[in-house]
Amino acid sequence: MTKKSKLLFDAALKVMPGGVNSPVRAFTDVGNHPVYFSEGHGAWLTDVDGKRYIDYVGSWGPAIAGHSNPSVISAVEKQLKSGLSFGAPTELETQLAEKIIGLIPSVEKIRMTSSGTEAAMSAIRLARGFTGREKIVKFEGCYHGHSDSLLVKAGSGALAMGIPSSPGVPTSLANLTVTLDYNDDQQVLEFFHQSGHEIAAVIVEPIAGNMGCILPRPEFLETLRHVTEESGALLIFDEVMTGFRVAPGGAQQLFSIKPDLTILGKVIGGGLPVGAIGGPKHLIDQFAPSGPVYQAGTLSGNPLAMASGLATLEIIADPAFHSSLNTVTDTLCERIQVAAEESGVSIVINKVCGMFSVFFSCDSEVETFTQVNKCNAQHFNRFFSSMLADGISLAPSRFEASFISSAHGESEIEATVTSVYRAFKQIRDIS
Ligand code: HOZ
């Protein structure tokens, strides 16, 4: 930990729980201390001591076009001069909604929120209101924000802190959340055969990113679509991480599956706080004032956030954007794999356009929550800390995905791979 970061963290510990405003930032899971950054440009961050890092966190996803992307900054600056927030509709909201609708075919209408948590919580309320049913299904290790109904066997920071089901969630509410195993289509089929008629919604990360990056088995999402259609439950894709990242139309485009509702966040705010629920008109119109399901927010559709999101979506809508991001992701992950083989370190690397996770000493594939848990935490922590010391900032938990932006190029890959060899040598030495 650099000198000023330590001083700032010590001060923060006195006034904020764990010194942070979001648990995973405390680096507890990796036995380290947070770095305080003062600047970000492109693929690089600079900390308060002036040390530079190649960043693979990307503000947990929003910085897909690199930090301080000139088009995004200029759109925000333009709006900044006109005012921060009016608590009234602005044209920017409609423009961002139109842009999203143009990119994701399952989305005909949108309700904006200020975070992914809010969006997921409101989508569940919509599903309950629409179906008149109370139970929902989620998958262990998936994370959909921290609302009560969804903080049951959750992933992300909740898992990293060892509190996947938080105290404070009323048992009566937690009992309405059924948790099944990600990628287990047989279990889903059996459950729906018995109880499908009671379920309001199935919520899932179509590519999980909150227990590390886990790709869906081909039959898994198809099964979810089939059982929800058959039982009258809504299928909700949480694309907060994958939306506009893995393809212009998100994971649903990649796997050709149309959910009923889509939760968005991160990239649609381009670095400012935004979430959204999208879907067909007849569902989204259930929200007040068109319909009876209440949902609101003082800063929902905030003009600065809309401007930033719109500028970011303009960038990712370029047809070359994802092919290039995909190539960079493939190249980096292939080179990490080669480094592991040459260093005699056993890894599995899961990847999809713009996101990846490295798992250590695990089964030959990592496709389930059980397999994630079998991976070597000590090796991951050693890897993380060695990379950080070398100026490579990865997601600070084995239960998170790392993100790549369009600003990452050959020189960043080269520098990263050099550090990977050094980190793998340390791992081999402790094995
Ligand atoms: N829940 C976010 C990652 N899945 C982390 C949010 C943050 O700490 O900034």
Side-chain angles (χ1 to χ4, degrees):
M1 192 183 193
T2 54
K3 208 169 149 209
K4 280 193 193 151
S5 282
K6 180 162 175 18
L7 289 175
L8 291 175
F9 189 47
D10 287 345
L13 281 166
K14 293 187 186 135
V15 291
M16 290 181 278
V20 292
N21 283 312
S22 192
V24 75
R25 297 179 195 178
F27 286 22
T28 317
D29 191 39
V30 285
N32 214 309
H33 301 288
V35 178
Y36 280 67
F37 296 112
S38 53
E39 263 185 64
H41 296 280
W44 292 82
L45 292 174
T46 307
D47 76 12
V48 284
D49 283 292
K51 177 173 169 174
R52 296 184 78 225
Y53 301 77
I54 300 174
D55 180 35
Y56 290 99
V57 180
S59 185
W60 297 97
I64 192 166
H67 292 282
S68 309
N69 183 288
S71 319
V72 180
I73 296 291
S74 120
V76 174
E77 268 171 359
K78 187 168 165 235
Q79 181 54 42
L80 198 56
K81 289 184 187 125
S82 308
L84 300 181
S85 173
F86 312 124
T90 64
E91 189 184 1
L92 283 163
E93 292 164 90
T94 311
Q95 287 172 342
L96 182 57
E98 284 169 352
K99 189 80 194 163
I100 295 169
I101 289 163
L103 288 166
I104 308 183
S106 71
V107 174
E108 292 172 354
K109 270 195 166 182
I110 288 174
R111 168 57 57 89
M112 301 287 182
T113 63
S114 293
S115 70
T117 289
E118 257 186 85
M121 174 184 81
S122 304
I124 295 297
R125 186 178 307 136
L126 193 162
R128 285 176 167 150
F130 180 74
T131 60
R133 303 170 182 177
E134 292 192 336
K135 286 192 178 166
I136 58 165
V137 168
K138 76 176 282 292
F139 295 90
E140 184 163 20
C142 282
Y143 178 74
H144 310 286
H146 57 90
S147 69
D148 284 352
S149 289
L150 294 167
L151 210 49
V152 179
K153 294 190 181 176
S156 188
L159 188 56
M161 301 301 133
I163 40 174
S165 303
S166 171
V169 174
T171 309
S172 54
L173 200 55
N175 286 343
L176 296 175
T177 303
V178 176
T179 313
L180 301 179
D181 296 328
Y182 195 82
N183 266 337
D184 189 342
D185 62 313
Q186 282 312 311
Q187 190 192 47
V188 169
L189 284 169
E190 277 160 34
F191 175 81
F192 269 82
H193 184 68
Q194 293 292 321
S195 313
H197 60 283
E198 296 175 48
I199 302 301
V202 173
I203 184 163
V204 68
E205 294 177 75
I207 296 167
N210 286 289
M211 51 174 151
C213 176
I214 305 290
L215 280 294
R217 290 176 180 149
E219 65 281 6
F220 179 59
L221 297 179
E222 281 163 23
T223 302
L224 295 186
R225 184 61 284 181
H226 169 73
V227 295
T228 45
E229 245 158 33
E230 209 174 53
S231 63
L234 299 187
L235 178 59
I236 305 174
F237 273 8
D238 180 340
E239 297 233 40
V240 167
M241 278 190 182
T242 52
F244 310 107
R245 173 170 291 279
V246 299
Q252 54 196 273
Q253 177 186 341
L254 219 52
F255 301 118
S256 306
I257 305 230
K258 245 182 174 183
D260 298 300
L261 294 174
T262 300
I263 310 300
L264 296 166
K266 300 195 190 280
V267 171
I268 56 162
L272 290 175
V274 186
I277 310 117
K281 289 179 189 148
H282 75 280
L283 288 179
I284 300 299
D285 278 340
Q286 296 295 314
F287 281 131
S290 308
V293 177
Y294 198 73
Q295 199 286 331
T298 299
L299 291 173
S300 297
N302 170 265
L304 278 183
M306 298 293 103
S308 163
L310 196 52
T312 305
L313 291 197
E314 298 287 354
I315 296 168
I316 69 97
D318 177 339
F321 183 91
H322 286 93
S323 61
S324 157
L325 188 59
N326 211 11
T327 305
V328 174
T329 310
D330 282 351
T331 308
L332 176 68
C333 293
E334 278 156 23
R335 293 203 52 195
I336 295 175
Q337 187 67 56
V338 170
E341 281 157 25
E342 289 180 358
S343 309
V345 170
S346 157
I347 66 159
V348 165
I349 184 155
N350 286 353
K351 66 170 168 68
V352 61
C353 182
M355 60 196 276
F356 69 96
S357 285
V358 185
F359 299 97
F360 289 88
S361 303
C362 37
D363 293 349
S364 56
E365 62 201 15
V366 183
E367 294 182 340
T368 65
F369 181 66
T370 308
Q371 287 172 324
V372 169
N373 273 305
K374 277 161 72 181
C375 298
N376 190 314
Q378 203 199 351
H379 286 189
F380 179 85
N381 294 355
R382 182 60 69 105
F383 178 63
F384 171 83
S385 293
S386 169
M387 295 294 280
L388 191 70
D390 255 12
I392 312 290
S393 171
L394 298 168
S397 164
R398 66 201 164 104
F399 301 118
E400 300 283 358
S402 286
F403 295 108
I404 302 175
S405 80
S406 58
H408 288 77
E410 271 176 35
S411 58
E412 283 80 16
I413 293 183
E414 213 48 60
T416 305
V417 171
T418 302
S419 297
V420 166
Y421 274 95
R422 241 193 305 270
F424 284 171
K425 183 176 176 321
Q426 288 191 21
I427 291 168
R428 203 194 44 223
D429 291 348
I430 58 162
S431 302

